[in-house]
Amino acid sequence: RQFAHKLGLQRCFLVGSGNGSGPKDANEALLQQRDLFAMIERARPVPHERIVTFADLRADVQRELANPVQVRGLQSQTLPGLNRLLKGHRRGELTIFSGPTGVGKTTVLSQLSLDYCMQGANTLWGSFELNNVRMAKVMLSQFAGIGLDAMGERFDQVADQFEQLPLYFLRFFGSSDVDQVIHAMEYAAYVYDVAHVVLDNLQFMTSGQGRGYERFEIMDRAIEKFRAFATEH
């Protein structure tokens, strides 16, 4: 592929010998009395990394038809009403929760991510509105099902259980550079096999980075980058 890029993809073709034990070059094909002309006639262009055929997709299509439950994604056990709307957590998707201040977006996202986390989905939390200590307190209370004030001597027991969850937190707060956030997300996806990322919230993350309509352009570019990250990773 490297040589083909240097020569020009449009000028290069792949000549197949038909099986794994076939000739490695034209001279060997002639020595084996193979029909070199027919092999060249069957040559195909070098495939593009971003272009596929149905033959490339066929096995995946068949698998999804045979396993409809798998296609639905990881289902929420504590918020079953959301399954009808979100169809579960599926890798490669970007979901945006929006609404006015104080309606409970963070509370719902926290509970939903805990739900997926307890089912084995390695989760990365980026809390740009609440610092990590406050966010951890909220999630710990939801995990325990009781308020922290009522936890008392049970704190260590609950904290030990909570600590076993595959949950990670980003060290960002307030206005943050989108590319640095994505760099940390890429690291988490590679090193910790993170399958679920929560960023709360976009307005705080991009605050102070533009004036007027430029603020919305910055948000739009951020969403575009997060969409690309979800697709790639």
Side-chain angles (χ1 to χ4, degrees):
R1 183 174 290 277
Q2 287 177 321
F3 282 115
H5 276 288
K6 292 179 180 180
L7 295 171
L9 289 177
Q10 70 280 2
R11 300 173 56 199
C12 298
F13 294 84
L14 297 178
V15 179
S17 61
N19 57 67
S21 60
K24 69 180 186 300
D25 54 31
N27 181 62
E28 197 169 288
L30 292 173
L31 290 174
Q32 294 180 8
Q33 298 184 340
R34 299 287 293 273
D35 190 343
L36 188 60
F37 181 76
M39 292 169 63
I40 294 176
E41 282 291 298
R42 294 193 300 268
R44 55 189 176 87
V46 178
H48 194 280
E49 297 94 333
R50 300 294 183 181
I51 300 176
V52 296
T53 65
F54 179 70
D56 301 315
L57 304 173
R58 179 171 176 168
D60 291 330
V61 171
Q62 185 177 17
R63 186 178 67 252
E64 291 196 1
L65 290 174
N67 301 281
V69 176
Q70 181 183 8
V71 179
R72 285 189 316 184
L74 188 61
Q75 302 290 288
S76 172
Q77 295 181 347
T78 59
L79 299 172
L82 280 179
N83 294 330
R84 179 176 55 84
L85 300 172
L86 301 181
K87 311 304 180 188
H89 168 63
R90 294 178 291 197
R91 299 185 68 143
E93 292 189 351
L94 172 68
T95 304
I96 298 177
F97 286 73
S98 64
T101 301
V103 298
K105 297 186 298 295
T106 299
T107 303
V108 170
L109 286 172
S110 175
Q111 180 61 40
L112 194 61
S113 58
L114 271 178
D115 191 327
Y116 294 152
C117 207
M118 291 169 67
Q119 296 184 65
N122 294 12
T123 299
L124 177 68
W125 247 93
S127 179
F128 302 91
E129 183 176 0
L130 303 177
N131 64 47
N132 284 335
V133 173
R134 288 184 61 191
M135 194 66 236
K137 287 169 61 179
V138 170
M139 301 184 80
L140 183 63
S141 179
Q142 289 177 304
F143 176 76
I146 57 174
L148 294 180
D149 294 337
M151 198 171 296
E153 295 181 355
R154 289 188 55 200
F155 175 82
D156 286 333
Q157 177 188 354
V158 173
D160 287 343
Q161 295 174 351
F162 184 78
E163 194 173 320
Q164 299 306 311
L165 294 178
L167 179 63
Y168 306 88
F169 295 90
L170 286 171
R171 286 182 178 270
F172 291 97
F173 183 69
S175 182
S176 305
D177 182 83
V178 174
D179 291 330
Q180 290 184 10
V181 173
I182 290 180
H183 179 71
M185 290 162 55
E186 289 173 341
Y187 181 89
Y190 179 75
V191 176
Y192 301 123
D193 293 324
V194 161
H196 184 215
V197 180
V198 182
L199 303 175
D200 182 35
N201 66 44
L202 186 63
Q203 184 175 353
F204 277 81
M205 190 189 71
T206 59
S207 62
Q209 298 182 27
R211 296 181 178 180
Y213 285 106
E214 187 182 6
R215 292 180 300 142
F216 300 104
E217 292 178 2
I218 291 172
M219 286 188 183
D220 192 50
R221 288 197 296 270
I223 291 175
E224 180 183 356
K225 290 180 179 182
F226 291 137
R227 169 70 271 185
F229 170 86
T231 301
E232 184 175 353
H233 295 279

